[in-house]
């Protein structure tokens, strides 16, 4: 196909959008709504993952060393713990520190109650931050199999709750995205189909004079792709502005729990290109595929 013919077909496709402007506006508006819902679902899912990860990292496991462990074995155990992926800061707790914790946490700071009591019955331990709550069970298994590990205390219930929450949000978000993609395809298909139906006689004449299917199909594909691109760009602008307004409102509440959560929300600029790419690709694919579907049956003479 010559460049001049292609330019003519592209102009023809854009002209068709104007000629059917009522359907065009309605289709773009509906597509924008679909993309906005998809975009906010993606943002919500990303932020939930980030918050779940942050909350998980605030938890720690406590590794108690067996009372019969050789003197100085804590250094060896710390080295072994450092080699496990998914663990963060490792803090050693001596018997003296353990005694101070008992007095502070269980005896309201009354040292007299423990006067004359030796700390030999308290094991040394490590407090270890969790970087990857999703693999907590595997991490616990590795630690429990180490020599001279007396016991491991871990927030397994909280970890399982966080992981279930993440899976639920991701599953729900995926279902919403799939449903809206189908809705968008139907909208694009019906819009182009209306344009095809209005020009069915012209298409028949073009077929009779020898125009091939590609020549006839290009203007309608241009319509669909243009609809998708316009909707993608407008939706991207709206979601950018709306998300930043939301972030500003949340971060202003610095003295509330929302303020602490806002510290772990993802800035839009960090994922802007990713969202824009998804929107543009979705617009092109959905628009082009919807146009191809709408042309079936009309190219047969």
């Amino acid at each position: 196909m010559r460049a001049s013919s292609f330019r003519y077909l592209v102009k023809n496709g854009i002209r068709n959008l104007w000629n059917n402007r009522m359907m065009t506006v309605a289709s773009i508006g509906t597509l924008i709504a679909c993309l906005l819902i998809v975009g906010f679902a993606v943002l919500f899912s990303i932020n939930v993952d980030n918050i779940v990860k942050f909350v998980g990292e605030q938890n720690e496991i406590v590794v108690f060393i067996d009372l019969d462990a050789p003197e100085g074995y804590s250094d060896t155990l710390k080295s072994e713990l450092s080699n496990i992926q998914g663990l963060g800061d490792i803090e050693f707790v001596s018997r003296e520190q353990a005694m101070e914790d008992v007095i502070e946490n269980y005896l309201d700071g009354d040292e007299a109650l423990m006067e004359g009591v030796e700390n030999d019955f308290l094991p040394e331990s490590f407090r270890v931050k969790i970087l990857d709550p999703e693999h907590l069970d595997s991490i616990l298994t590795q630690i429990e199999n180490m020599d001279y590990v007396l016991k491991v205390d871990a927030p397994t219930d909280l970890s399982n709750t966080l992981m279930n929450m993440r899976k639920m949000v991701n599953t729900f978000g995926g279902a919403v995205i799939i449903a809206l993609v189908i809705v968008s395809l139907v909208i694009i298909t019906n819009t182009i189909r209306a344009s095809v139906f209005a020009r069915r006689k012209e298409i028949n004449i073009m077929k009779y004079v020898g125009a091939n299917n590609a020549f006839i199909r290009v203007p309608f594909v241009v319509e669909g792709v243009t609809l998708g691109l316009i909707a993608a760009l407008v939706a991207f602008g709206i979601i950018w502005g709306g998300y930043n307004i939301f972030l500003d409102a949340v971060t202003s509440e610095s003295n509330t729990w929302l303020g602490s959560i806002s510290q772990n929300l993802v800035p839009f600029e960090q994922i802007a290109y990713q969202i824009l790419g998804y929107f543009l690709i979705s617009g092109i694919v959905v628009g082009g595929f919807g146009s191809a579907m709408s042309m079936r049956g009309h190219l047969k003479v």
Side-chain angles (χ1 to χ4, degrees):
M1 183 182 296
R2 292 181 300 177
S4 58
S5 298
F6 183 75
R7 286 197 298 270
Y8 164 77
L9 294 175
V10 170
K11 291 179 181 179
N12 198 24
I14 296 175
R15 190 183 306 117
N16 290 338
L17 289 175
W18 175 254
N19 292 338
N20 299 291
R21 48 189 173 274
M22 293 301 295
M23 282 292 296
T24 297
V25 171
S27 298
I28 290 177
T30 307
L31 282 173
I32 289 173
C34 291
L35 287 172
L36 285 176
I37 296 174
V38 170
F40 281 118
V42 170
L43 286 172
F44 180 71
S45 179
I46 290 174
N47 281 301
V48 166
D49 277 350
N50 217 41
I51 292 171
V52 166
K53 182 179 179 182
F54 169 76
V55 173
E57 289 174 358
Q58 304 315 300
N59 296 312
E60 61 181 17
I61 61 177
V62 181
V63 182
F64 294 98
I65 304 175
D66 198 307
L67 294 172
D68 296 330
E71 186 176 352
Y73 183 75
S74 57
D75 293 335
T76 302
L77 183 57
K78 183 175 182 178
S79 176
E80 293 179 357
L81 290 173
S82 301
N83 293 328
I84 297 179
Q85 292 186 348
L87 296 182
D89 296 336
I90 302 174
E91 178 187 355
F92 175 69
V93 180
S94 65
R95 288 190 173 94
E96 291 76 13
Q97 180 62 48
M99 177 65 80
E100 292 178 9
D101 291 344
V102 168
I103 294 173
E104 181 179 349
N105 297 325
Y106 299 101
L107 303 178
D108 295 328
D110 191 349
E111 297 183 7
L113 295 174
M114 298 297 292
E115 187 175 349
V117 178
E118 298 293 334
N119 58 23
D120 294 345
F121 70 96
L122 294 173
E124 296 176 332
S125 62
F126 285 102
R127 293 173 183 166
V128 187
K129 290 290 186 181
I130 304 171
L131 296 181
D132 191 358
E134 188 172 358
H135 298 100
L136 179 59
D137 291 339
S138 173
I139 292 173
L140 292 180
T141 299
Q142 294 180 64
I143 296 175
E144 289 169 349
N145 289 332
M146 292 180 177
D147 294 334
Y148 297 108
V149 170
L150 177 64
K151 185 178 68 168
V152 181
D153 282 347
T156 52
D157 290 341
L158 177 59
S159 177
N160 291 334
T161 299
L162 293 175
M163 292 306 103
N164 289 335
M165 182 186 301
R166 175 187 288 179
K167 290 177 182 178
M168 182 178 65
V169 169
N170 290 339
T171 301
F172 178 75
V176 169
I177 291 173
I178 292 173
L180 291 176
V181 167
I182 295 173
V183 170
S184 300
L185 277 174
V186 172
I187 292 168
I188 289 284
T189 300
N190 288 337
T191 300
I192 304 300
R193 186 171 292 158
S195 179
V196 171
F197 184 79
R199 299 174 58 196
R200 61 191 184 281
K201 292 183 179 179
E202 178 185 344
I203 292 173
N204 288 338
I205 292 173
M206 293 173 68
K207 287 290 292 182
Y208 281 125
V209 298
N212 58 34
N213 290 343
F215 187 88
I216 299 172
R217 186 180 285 117
V218 168
F220 297 103
V221 173
V222 170
E223 282 187 57
V225 171
T226 304
L227 283 173
L229 288 177
I230 293 174
L233 292 174
V234 174
F236 177 76
I238 294 174
I239 205 169
W240 189 339
Y243 186 73
N244 282 335
I245 291 173
F246 168 75
L247 283 184
D248 291 340
V250 172
T251 52
S252 65
E253 302 291 336
S254 57
N255 296 325
T256 66
W257 64 274
L258 283 176
S260 61
I261 289 179
S262 68
Q263 303 300 318
N264 299 284
L265 296 179
V266 180
F268 191 81
E269 291 74 12
Q270 184 175 324
I271 54 175
Y273 290 111
Q274 181 182 354
I275 297 292
L276 178 60
Y278 286 155
F279 277 14
L280 292 177
I281 292 173
S282 297
I284 293 173
V285 172
V286 171
F289 187 67
S291 300
M293 290 177 60
S294 67
M295 293 295 295
R296 290 187 309 174
H298 292 278
L299 295 178
K300 299 177 182 178
V301 179

